[in-house]
Amino acid sequence: MARDTLTGSRIRERRVMAGLKQAELASAAGISASYLNLIEHNRRGIGGKLLLDIAEVLGVEPALLSEGAEATLIAALREAASDPKAAPVEVDRVDEFAGRFPGWAGLLSDNRRRIASLERTVETLSDRLTHDPHLAASLHEMLSTVTSIRSTASILNDPADLSPEWSARFHRNVYEDATRLAETSRALVGYLEASGDATSEASAPQDEMDAVLASAGYFLEPLEHSPDGISDLSETLGVELSADARTLLDAHLNRYASDAEQLPHEILAPKMLAGETDPFAIAGALRLSPGLVMRRMAILSGSVLDDDFGLALCDGTGTLTYRKPLQDFSLPRFGAGCPLWPLYSALCAPGMPIMRLIAQPGATDRQIKAFAYAEDTQAPALDGARLLKVHMLMVPVPFGAADEKTEAVGVSCRICPRNDCAGRREPSILSTGQ
Protein backbone atom coordinates (compact mmCIF):
# COMPACT_ATOMS: atom_id res chain seq x y z
CA MET A 1 0.00 0.00 0.00
CA ALA A 2 1.46 3.33 -1.00
CA ARG A 3 2.15 5.89 1.68
CA ASP A 4 -0.14 8.55 0.15
CA THR A 5 -3.14 6.20 0.61
CA LEU A 6 -2.59 5.92 4.35
CA THR A 7 -4.11 9.30 5.26
CA GLY A 8 -7.22 7.59 6.61
CA SER A 9 -5.16 5.27 8.81
CA ARG A 10 -3.34 8.27 10.24
CA ILE A 11 -6.63 10.07 10.91
CA ARG A 12 -7.96 7.05 12.75
CA GLU A 13 -4.77 6.74 14.79
CA ARG A 14 -4.86 10.42 15.77
CA ARG A 15 -8.56 10.26 16.58
CA VAL A 16 -8.01 7.34 18.94
CA MET A 17 -5.07 9.10 20.56
CA ALA A 18 -7.27 12.20 21.08
CA GLY A 19 -10.01 10.09 22.72
CA LEU A 20 -12.68 11.07 20.16
CA LYS A 21 -15.39 8.82 18.85
CA GLN A 22 -15.87 8.53 15.13
CA ALA A 23 -19.23 10.27 15.29
CA GLU A 24 -17.75 13.17 17.30
CA LEU A 25 -14.97 13.82 14.79
CA ALA A 26 -17.39 13.50 11.85
CA SER A 27 -19.78 16.00 13.42
CA ALA A 28 -17.01 18.48 14.14
CA ALA A 29 -15.73 18.18 10.55
CA GLY A 30 -19.22 18.52 9.06
CA ILE A 31 -19.45 15.05 7.47
CA SER A 32 -21.36 11.88 8.23
CA ALA A 33 -19.92 9.16 10.43
CA SER A 34 -20.29 6.61 7.60
CA TYR A 35 -18.24 8.79 5.26
CA LEU A 36 -15.53 9.24 7.92
CA ASN A 37 -15.53 5.47 8.36
CA LEU A 38 -14.77 5.03 4.64
CA ILE A 39 -11.99 7.63 4.89
CA GLU A 40 -10.42 5.98 7.93
CA HIS A 41 -10.36 2.62 6.13
CA ASN A 42 -8.63 4.27 3.15
CA ARG A 43 -11.61 3.68 0.86
CA ARG A 44 -12.13 7.35 0.13
CA GLY A 45 -9.58 9.96 -0.70
CA ILE A 46 -9.33 13.15 1.28
CA GLY A 47 -7.78 16.54 0.71
CA GLY A 48 -8.45 20.24 0.51
CA LYS A 49 -10.70 21.92 3.09
CA LEU A 50 -11.90 18.66 4.65
CA LEU A 51 -8.35 17.61 5.46
CA LEU A 52 -7.68 21.03 6.97
CA ASP A 53 -10.86 20.84 9.08
CA ILE A 54 -10.08 17.36 10.41
CA ALA A 55 -6.48 18.36 11.18
CA GLU A 56 -7.76 21.40 13.08
CA VAL A 57 -10.14 19.27 15.16
CA LEU A 58 -7.36 16.77 15.93
CA GLY A 59 -4.91 19.57 16.72
CA VAL A 60 -2.20 18.44 14.28
CA GLU A 61 -0.57 19.79 11.15
CA PRO A 62 -2.30 18.70 7.91
CA ALA A 63 1.02 17.42 6.57
CA LEU A 64 1.20 14.99 9.48
CA LEU A 65 -1.99 13.36 8.19
CA SER A 66 -1.29 13.53 4.47
CA GLU A 67 2.43 12.69 4.49
CA GLY A 68 2.90 11.03 7.85
CA ALA A 69 5.82 11.18 10.25
CA GLU A 70 6.85 7.57 9.74
CA ALA A 71 9.49 7.97 7.02
CA THR A 72 12.27 7.35 9.51
CA LEU A 73 10.37 4.43 11.00
CA ILE A 74 9.88 2.86 7.58
CA ALA A 75 13.58 3.20 6.80
CA ALA A 76 14.48 1.63 10.15
CA LEU A 77 12.01 -1.23 9.64
CA ARG A 78 13.34 -1.91 6.15
CA GLU A 79 16.86 -1.96 7.56
CA ALA A 80 15.79 -4.44 10.23
CA ALA A 81 14.15 -6.63 7.59
CA SER A 82 17.36 -6.66 5.54
CA ASP A 83 19.27 -8.30 8.40
CA PRO A 84 20.36 -11.75 7.12
CA LYS A 85 19.63 -13.21 10.57
CA ALA A 86 16.04 -11.85 10.64
CA ALA A 87 12.99 -14.02 10.02
CA PRO A 88 11.12 -13.47 6.71
CA VAL A 89 8.68 -10.55 6.93
CA GLU A 90 6.17 -8.83 4.65
CA VAL A 91 8.44 -6.02 3.45
CA ASP A 92 5.88 -4.87 0.90
CA ARG A 93 3.48 -3.96 3.76
CA VAL A 94 5.95 -2.08 5.95
CA ASP A 95 4.41 1.28 4.95
CA GLU A 96 0.98 0.15 6.05
CA PHE A 97 2.33 -1.20 9.34
CA ALA A 98 4.13 2.06 10.17
CA GLY A 99 1.07 4.08 9.23
CA ARG A 100 -1.45 2.07 11.21
CA PHE A 101 0.71 1.19 14.21
CA PRO A 102 3.35 3.92 14.64
CA GLY A 103 3.80 3.03 18.31
CA TRP A 104 4.71 -0.58 17.60
CA ALA A 105 6.85 0.50 14.65
CA GLY A 106 8.72 2.94 16.89
CA LEU A 107 9.25 0.26 19.52
CA LEU A 108 10.67 -2.17 16.93
CA SER A 109 12.86 0.56 15.50
CA ASP A 110 14.25 1.49 18.93
CA ASN A 111 14.87 -2.16 19.80
CA ARG A 112 16.64 -2.67 16.49
CA ARG A 113 18.99 0.25 17.17
CA ARG A 114 19.61 -0.97 20.71
CA ILE A 115 20.41 -4.50 19.52
CA ALA A 116 22.75 -3.17 16.83
CA SER A 117 24.55 -1.05 19.42
CA LEU A 118 24.90 -4.00 21.79
CA GLU A 119 26.18 -6.23 18.97
CA ARG A 120 28.85 -3.67 18.12
CA THR A 121 29.84 -3.52 21.79
CA VAL A 122 30.05 -7.31 22.00
CA GLU A 123 32.11 -7.43 18.81
CA THR A 124 34.54 -4.82 20.13
CA LEU A 125 34.92 -6.44 23.54
CA SER A 126 35.29 -9.91 22.04
CA ASP A 127 37.90 -8.62 19.62
CA ARG A 128 39.82 -7.12 22.52
CA LEU A 129 39.49 -10.19 24.74
CA THR A 130 40.61 -12.49 21.92
CA HIS A 131 43.40 -10.54 20.29
CA ASP A 132 44.48 -7.61 22.47
CA PRO A 133 48.02 -8.44 23.68
CA HIS A 134 47.98 -5.73 26.36
CA LEU A 135 44.75 -7.00 27.88
CA ALA A 136 46.03 -10.59 27.80
CA ALA A 137 49.31 -9.59 29.45
CA SER A 138 47.49 -7.64 32.18
CA LEU A 139 45.14 -10.53 32.94
CA HIS A 140 48.06 -12.98 33.01
CA GLU A 141 49.95 -10.71 35.42
CA MET A 142 46.89 -10.46 37.69
CA LEU A 143 46.34 -14.24 37.73
CA SER A 144 50.02 -14.89 38.44
CA THR A 145 50.03 -12.39 41.30
CA VAL A 146 46.84 -13.81 42.82
CA THR A 147 48.34 -17.32 42.65
CA SER A 148 51.49 -16.09 44.36
CA ILE A 149 49.49 -14.42 47.16
CA ARG A 150 47.41 -17.55 47.66
CA SER A 151 50.50 -19.78 47.88
CA THR A 152 52.19 -17.49 50.39
CA ALA A 153 49.00 -17.22 52.45
CA SER A 154 48.69 -21.02 52.58
CA ILE A 155 52.23 -21.23 53.96
CA LEU A 156 51.46 -18.64 56.63
CA ASN A 157 48.28 -20.52 57.49
CA ASP A 158 50.14 -23.78 57.93
CA PRO A 159 50.21 -24.87 61.58
CA ALA A 160 53.89 -25.73 61.29
CA ASP A 161 56.13 -23.40 63.23
CA LEU A 162 57.86 -20.68 61.22
CA SER A 163 60.84 -18.76 62.41
CA PRO A 164 60.25 -15.03 62.88
CA GLU A 165 62.67 -14.37 60.01
CA TRP A 166 60.75 -16.53 57.53
CA SER A 167 57.40 -15.27 58.75
CA ALA A 168 58.47 -11.68 58.18
CA ARG A 169 59.76 -12.60 54.73
CA PHE A 170 56.44 -14.21 53.73
CA HIS A 171 54.47 -11.26 55.07
CA ARG A 172 56.67 -8.94 53.03
CA ASN A 173 56.03 -11.08 49.94
CA VAL A 174 52.28 -10.84 50.46
CA TYR A 175 52.51 -7.07 50.84
CA GLU A 176 54.63 -6.66 47.68
CA ASP A 177 52.40 -8.97 45.64
CA ALA A 178 49.26 -7.18 46.84
CA THR A 179 50.79 -3.84 45.88
CA ARG A 180 51.67 -5.15 42.42
CA LEU A 181 48.16 -6.58 42.03
CA ALA A 182 46.61 -3.21 42.91
CA GLU A 183 48.82 -1.40 40.39
CA THR A 184 48.04 -3.92 37.65
CA SER A 185 44.31 -3.68 38.40
CA ARG A 186 44.37 0.13 38.21
CA ALA A 187 46.26 0.00 34.91
CA LEU A 188 43.78 -2.51 33.49
CA VAL A 189 40.78 -0.44 34.56
CA GLY A 190 42.38 2.66 33.04
CA TYR A 191 42.98 0.81 29.79
CA LEU A 192 39.40 -0.44 29.59
CA GLU A 193 37.97 2.98 30.45
CA ALA A 194 40.16 4.61 27.81
CA SER A 195 38.05 2.79 25.21
CA GLY A 196 40.40 3.31 22.33
CA ASP A 197 41.78 6.69 23.41
CA ALA A 198 44.96 7.22 21.45
CA THR A 199 46.63 8.93 24.37
CA SER A 200 46.17 6.02 26.73
CA GLU A 201 49.49 4.64 27.94
CA ALA A 202 48.17 1.11 27.54
CA SER A 203 47.24 1.56 23.88
CA ALA A 204 49.41 -0.06 21.23
CA PRO A 205 51.58 2.39 19.26
CA GLN A 206 49.80 1.38 16.05
CA ASP A 207 46.42 2.18 17.63
CA GLU A 208 47.67 5.57 18.79
CA MET A 209 48.86 6.51 15.31
CA ASP A 210 45.68 5.22 13.65
CA ALA A 211 43.54 7.32 16.00
CA VAL A 212 45.57 10.46 15.32
CA LEU A 213 45.37 9.99 11.55
CA ALA A 214 41.62 9.33 11.76
CA SER A 215 41.08 12.53 13.74
CA ALA A 216 43.08 14.43 11.11
CA GLY A 217 40.97 12.96 8.31
CA TYR A 218 43.98 11.13 6.79
CA PHE A 219 44.43 13.94 4.23
CA LEU A 220 47.37 16.13 5.30
CA GLU A 221 47.34 19.35 3.27
CA PRO A 222 50.81 20.62 4.41
CA LEU A 223 52.51 17.57 2.87
CA GLU A 224 50.70 17.71 -0.46
CA HIS A 225 52.98 20.37 -1.91
CA SER A 226 56.20 20.21 0.09
CA PRO A 227 57.94 17.77 2.47
CA ASP A 228 59.29 20.69 4.48
CA GLY A 229 56.34 20.57 6.86
CA ILE A 230 57.03 17.06 8.19
CA SER A 231 58.73 18.23 11.38
CA ASP A 232 56.05 20.78 12.28
CA LEU A 233 53.22 18.38 11.46
CA SER A 234 54.86 15.66 13.55
CA GLU A 235 55.02 18.05 16.49
CA THR A 236 51.37 19.04 16.07
CA LEU A 237 49.89 15.56 15.56
CA GLY A 238 52.20 13.69 17.90
CA VAL A 239 52.11 16.02 20.89
CA GLU A 240 50.39 13.41 23.11
CA LEU A 241 51.71 10.23 21.50
CA SER A 242 54.07 7.79 23.14
CA ALA A 243 57.64 7.58 21.87
CA ASP A 244 56.96 4.39 19.90
CA ALA A 245 53.79 5.80 18.34
CA ARG A 246 55.69 8.97 17.45
CA THR A 247 58.24 6.85 15.59
CA LEU A 248 55.48 5.19 13.58
CA LEU A 249 53.89 8.57 12.86
CA ASP A 250 57.18 10.02 11.59
CA ALA A 251 57.61 7.03 9.26
CA HIS A 252 54.06 7.51 7.97
CA LEU A 253 54.57 11.24 7.38
CA ASN A 254 57.80 10.62 5.46
CA ARG A 255 56.08 8.03 3.29
CA TYR A 256 53.12 10.38 2.78
CA ALA A 257 55.41 13.18 1.60
CA SER A 258 57.28 10.82 -0.72
CA ASP A 259 54.02 9.50 -2.18
CA ALA A 260 52.70 13.03 -2.74
CA GLU A 261 55.91 13.98 -4.52
CA GLN A 262 55.78 10.95 -6.85
CA LEU A 263 52.03 11.26 -7.54
CA PRO A 264 50.86 14.85 -6.97
CA HIS A 265 47.29 15.73 -6.14
CA GLU A 266 46.99 17.67 -9.42
CA ILE A 267 47.62 14.50 -11.47
CA LEU A 268 45.52 11.94 -9.59
CA ALA A 269 42.50 14.01 -8.50
CA PRO A 270 41.24 14.74 -12.08
CA LYS A 271 41.38 11.05 -12.91
CA MET A 272 39.35 10.15 -9.82
CA LEU A 273 36.82 12.91 -10.54
CA ALA A 274 36.46 11.48 -14.05
CA GLY A 275 35.35 8.17 -12.51
CA GLU A 276 38.63 6.24 -12.77
CA THR A 277 38.73 3.91 -9.76
CA ASP A 278 41.01 1.13 -11.05
CA PRO A 279 44.43 1.62 -9.40
CA PHE A 280 46.05 -0.89 -11.72
CA ALA A 281 44.97 1.02 -14.83
CA ILE A 282 46.17 4.29 -13.32
CA ALA A 283 49.46 2.74 -12.22
CA GLY A 284 50.04 1.32 -15.71
CA ALA A 285 49.29 4.62 -17.42
CA LEU A 286 51.58 6.58 -15.08
CA ARG A 287 54.25 3.86 -14.77
CA LEU A 288 54.01 3.85 -11.00
CA SER A 289 53.73 1.19 -8.31
CA PRO A 290 50.15 -0.04 -7.73
CA GLY A 291 50.77 0.21 -3.98
CA LEU A 292 51.68 3.87 -4.30
CA VAL A 293 48.57 4.58 -6.38
CA MET A 294 46.35 2.75 -3.86
CA ARG A 295 47.74 4.76 -0.96
CA ARG A 296 47.21 8.04 -2.78
CA MET A 297 43.68 7.14 -3.91
CA ALA A 298 42.69 6.24 -0.34
CA ILE A 299 44.14 9.51 0.98
CA LEU A 300 42.63 11.80 -1.68
CA SER A 301 39.19 10.17 -1.94
CA GLY A 302 37.76 11.96 1.07
CA SER A 303 38.80 15.38 -0.25
CA VAL A 304 37.74 15.04 -3.91
CA LEU A 305 34.86 12.51 -3.96
CA ASP A 306 31.55 11.97 -2.19
CA ASP A 307 32.50 8.38 -1.32
CA ASP A 308 35.57 7.77 0.82
CA PHE A 309 37.88 4.86 -0.07
CA GLY A 310 39.27 2.44 2.50
CA LEU A 311 42.74 0.96 2.69
CA ALA A 312 44.28 -1.96 4.55
CA LEU A 313 47.95 -2.93 4.58
CA CYS A 314 49.54 -6.10 5.91
CA ASP A 315 52.99 -7.62 5.97
CA GLY A 316 54.09 -11.15 5.09
CA THR A 317 52.66 -12.54 8.33
CA GLY A 318 49.18 -11.29 7.46
CA THR A 319 49.16 -8.80 10.35
CA LEU A 320 47.35 -5.55 9.55
CA THR A 321 49.86 -2.70 9.76
CA TYR A 322 47.60 0.13 8.56
CA ARG A 323 43.84 0.61 8.66
CA LYS A 324 41.67 3.20 6.97
CA PRO A 325 38.24 1.64 7.49
CA LEU A 326 34.97 2.29 5.67
CA GLN A 327 31.55 2.72 7.24
CA ASP A 328 30.31 -0.27 5.22
CA PHE A 329 33.44 -2.42 5.63
CA SER A 330 34.80 -3.00 9.12
CA LEU A 331 38.43 -3.79 9.87
CA PRO A 332 39.44 -5.64 13.05
CA ARG A 333 41.42 -3.63 15.57
CA PHE A 334 43.58 -6.57 16.62
CA GLY A 335 44.92 -9.59 14.78
CA ALA A 336 44.24 -10.60 11.21
CA GLY A 337 41.08 -10.13 9.17
CA CYS A 338 38.86 -12.53 7.26
CA PRO A 339 40.88 -15.13 5.30
CA LEU A 340 38.54 -14.57 2.33
CA TRP A 341 39.72 -11.00 1.80
CA PRO A 342 41.56 -10.37 -1.50
CA LEU A 343 44.33 -8.95 0.70
CA TYR A 344 45.42 -12.46 1.67
CA SER A 345 44.92 -13.86 -1.83
CA ALA A 346 47.43 -11.27 -3.05
CA LEU A 347 49.84 -12.36 -0.34
CA CYS A 348 49.90 -15.80 -1.95
CA ALA A 349 50.52 -14.35 -5.43
CA PRO A 350 53.02 -11.46 -5.20
CA GLY A 351 53.01 -9.15 -8.21
CA MET A 352 49.60 -10.31 -9.45
CA PRO A 353 46.79 -7.70 -9.60
CA ILE A 354 43.60 -8.92 -7.92
CA MET A 355 40.12 -7.40 -8.00
CA ARG A 356 37.00 -8.90 -6.44
CA LEU A 357 33.54 -7.68 -5.48
CA ILE A 358 32.93 -8.37 -1.80
CA ALA A 359 30.42 -7.48 0.91
CA GLN A 360 30.29 -7.96 4.66
CA PRO A 361 27.09 -9.15 6.35
CA GLY A 362 25.30 -6.19 7.88
CA ALA A 363 22.43 -3.76 7.59
CA THR A 364 23.37 -2.53 4.12
CA ASP A 365 25.43 -5.39 2.62
CA ARG A 366 26.97 -2.69 0.44
CA GLN A 367 29.11 -4.04 -2.35
CA ILE A 368 32.80 -3.17 -2.20
CA LYS A 369 35.20 -3.33 -5.12
CA ALA A 370 38.44 -4.56 -3.54
CA PHE A 371 41.78 -4.19 -5.33
CA ALA A 372 44.74 -6.07 -3.82
CA TYR A 373 48.41 -6.21 -4.69
CA ALA A 374 51.53 -7.60 -2.98
CA GLU A 375 54.92 -6.07 -3.69
CA ASP A 376 58.45 -6.50 -2.36
CA THR A 377 59.69 -3.96 0.17
CA GLN A 378 63.27 -4.59 -0.93
CA ALA A 379 65.09 -6.26 -3.78
CA PRO A 380 64.96 -10.07 -3.38
CA ALA A 381 68.30 -11.59 -2.42
CA LEU A 382 69.58 -15.05 -3.28
CA ASP A 383 68.52 -17.45 -0.52
CA GLY A 384 67.28 -14.47 1.50
CA ALA A 385 63.91 -13.83 3.08
CA ARG A 386 61.33 -12.16 0.84
CA LEU A 387 59.67 -9.23 2.58
CA LEU A 388 56.27 -8.29 1.20
CA LYS A 389 53.82 -5.45 1.74
CA VAL A 390 50.24 -6.05 0.66
CA HIS A 391 47.72 -3.30 -0.16
CA MET A 392 43.95 -3.64 -0.42
CA LEU A 393 42.03 -0.61 -1.70
CA MET A 394 38.29 -0.69 -0.94
CA VAL A 395 36.05 1.28 -3.31
CA PRO A 396 32.32 1.38 -2.43
CA VAL A 397 30.00 0.54 -5.31
CA PRO A 398 27.23 3.18 -5.66
CA PHE A 399 23.83 2.10 -4.38
CA GLY A 400 21.70 0.80 -7.22
CA ALA A 401 24.72 -0.23 -9.29
CA ALA A 402 25.52 -3.45 -7.46
CA ASP A 403 26.52 -6.61 -9.29
CA GLU A 404 25.06 -9.97 -8.35
CA LYS A 405 28.48 -11.65 -8.42
CA THR A 406 29.45 -10.65 -4.90
CA GLU A 407 31.55 -12.73 -2.54
CA ALA A 408 30.45 -12.64 1.09
CA VAL A 409 33.33 -12.03 3.50
CA GLY A 410 33.54 -11.25 7.20
CA VAL A 411 35.49 -9.04 9.58
CA SER A 412 37.32 -11.76 11.48
CA CYS A 413 36.19 -15.25 12.37
CA ARG A 414 35.47 -14.46 16.01
CA ILE A 415 32.81 -11.88 15.18
CA CYS A 416 31.51 -13.21 11.84
CA PRO A 417 27.91 -14.57 11.82
CA ARG A 418 28.42 -16.71 8.69
CA ASN A 419 28.21 -20.39 9.65
CA ASP A 420 28.85 -21.97 6.23
CA CYS A 421 32.37 -20.62 5.71
CA ALA A 422 35.18 -22.92 4.61
CA GLY A 423 37.76 -20.43 5.87
CA ARG A 424 36.56 -20.33 9.47
CA ARG A 425 39.42 -20.84 11.93
CA GLU A 426 37.57 -20.37 15.24
CA PRO A 427 33.95 -20.36 16.46
CA SER A 428 32.00 -17.13 16.27
CA ILE A 429 30.24 -15.51 19.22
CA LEU A 430 27.51 -14.27 16.84
CA SER A 431 26.42 -17.58 15.34
CA THR A 432 24.78 -20.71 16.65
CA GLY A 433 27.49 -22.89 15.23
CA GLN A 434 24.97 -25.08 13.44
Side-chain angles (χ1 to χ4, degrees):
M1 182 179 293
R3 290 184 62 212
D4 58 2
T5 64
L6 294 175
T7 303
S9 298
R10 300 184 189 103
I11 291 175
R12 181 174 66 251
E13 177 69 21
R14 289 291 171 174
R15 175 179 61 78
V16 173
M17 292 173 61
L20 294 176
K21 295 182 178 179
Q22 199 173 64
E24 294 173 339
L25 176 59
S27 176
I31 58 176
S32 65
S34 59
Y35 186 65
L36 178 59
N37 183 63
L38 293 175
I39 292 176
E40 289 189 350
H41 286 83
N42 302 303
R43 296 175 184 174
R44 291 291 186 274
I46 180 175
K49 186 177 182 302
L50 179 56
L51 179 62
L52 296 177
D53 292 341
I54 291 180
E56 183 178 359
V57 175
L58 295 175
V60 298
E61 292 292 329
L64 189 62
L65 300 177
S66 60
E67 299 176 6
E70 69 273 6
T72 303
L73 290 180
I74 291 175
L77 293 174
R78 289 186 183 279
E79 180 178 328
S82 67
D83 190 332
K85 302 187 290 288
V89 295
E90 299 83 357
V91 181
D92 58 326
R93 303 190 65 183
V94 66
D95 297 358
E96 181 182 1
F97 176 71
R100 296 188 61 183
F101 308 105
W104 280 107
L107 177 62
L108 289 175
S109 175
D110 291 342
N111 285 341
R112 166 64 185 174
R113 284 193 295 269
R114 188 177 298 110
I115 291 172
S117 176
L118 291 174
E119 285 184 346
R120 286 193 296 269
T121 301
V122 169
E123 290 175 8
T124 302
L125 292 177
S126 174
D127 196 23
R128 296 178 74 176
L129 287 171
T130 306
H131 301 293
D132 189 344
H134 306 286
L135 182 59
S138 297
L139 291 175
H140 177 73
E141 174 69 15
M142 291 179 64
L143 292 175
S144 299
T145 306
V146 169
T147 302
S148 176
I149 293 175
R150 180 178 180 180
S151 299
T152 306
S154 65
I155 294 175
L156 292 172
N157 192 50
D158 194 286
D161 292 334
L162 289 174
S163 66
E165 180 183 354
W166 278 102
S167 178
R169 180 178 299 179
F170 285 132
H171 278 95
R172 184 173 62 253
N173 290 343
V174 170
Y175 173 78
E176 292 175 350
D177 287 341
T179 301
R180 187 169 70 254
L181 177 62
E183 293 174 352
T184 303
S185 301
R186 282 196 296 269
L188 179 59
V189 170
Y191 176 59
L192 293 176
E193 289 182 345
S195 186
D197 183 4
T199 62
S200 172
E201 294 181 358
S203 295
Q206 182 70 45
D207 296 331
E208 294 183 56
M209 187 193 72
D210 288 346
V212 166
L213 294 177
S215 64
Y218 299 98
F219 179 75
L220 306 176
E221 177 67 30
L223 301 184
E224 286 296 326
H225 305 290
S226 172
D228 296 338
I230 291 180
S231 179
D232 292 340
L233 194 57
S234 177
E235 290 292 335
T236 301
L237 296 179
V239 62
E240 295 184 351
L241 294 182
S242 65
D244 291 340
R246 184 70 173 270
T247 300
L248 293 179
L249 177 63
D250 290 341
H252 175 81
L253 296 181
N254 280 282
R255 185 179 66 183
Y256 188 115
S258 175
D259 289 350
E261 184 177 7
Q262 296 180 68
L263 183 52
H265 178 280
E266 294 78 12
I267 294 178
L268 182 57
K271 294 181 178 293
M272 296 174 65
L273 287 171
E276 296 187 39
T277 59
D278 186 345
F280 301 123
I282 296 176
L286 299 177
R287 298 181 180 275
L288 295 173
S289 160
L292 165 63
V293 175
M294 289 184 187
R295 293 194 298 270
R296 291 295 288 159
M297 292 180 70
I299 291 296
L300 297 181
S301 59
S303 63
V304 301
L305 301 176
D306 293 332
D307 261 332
D308 203 6
F309 295 173
L311 181 68
L313 273 64
C314 78
D315 58 18
T317 67
T319 302
L320 295 178
T321 59
Y322 178 84
R323 304 171 185 85
K324 183 177 182 289
L326 289 175
Q327 181 179 358
D328 298 304
F329 196 92
S330 301
L331 300 174
R333 183 181 174 190
F334 305 105
C338 172
L340 301 180
W341 287 359
L343 181 77
Y344 301 114
S345 298
L347 186 60
C348 299
M352 178 180 294
I354 294 177
M355 192 285 288
R356 293 213 303 268
L357 295 171
I358 59 177
Q360 287 182 339
T364 61
D365 287 332
R366 189 172 186 184
Q367 193 178 67
I368 303 295
K369 188 177 292 187
F371 301 89
Y373 186 78
E375 57 189 13
D376 292 285
T377 59
Q378 62 183 15
L382 183 64
D383 294 332
R386 188 175 187 182
L387 300 179
L388 297 173
K389 176 178 292 184
V390 192
H391 296 70
M392 183 172 74
L393 180 70
M394 295 161 282
V395 180
V397 176
F399 288 108
D403 192 300
E404 294 182 358
K405 300 177 181 178
T406 304
E407 181 177 359
V409 301
V411 180
S412 63
C413 290
R414 189 61 174 163
I415 53 177
C416 178
R418 298 178 61 239
N419 294 322
D420 55 343
C421 179
R424 179 170 292 285
R425 58 179 177 267
E426 60 180 329
S428 170
I429 62 172
L430 301 181
S431 63
T432 60
Q434 299 176 350

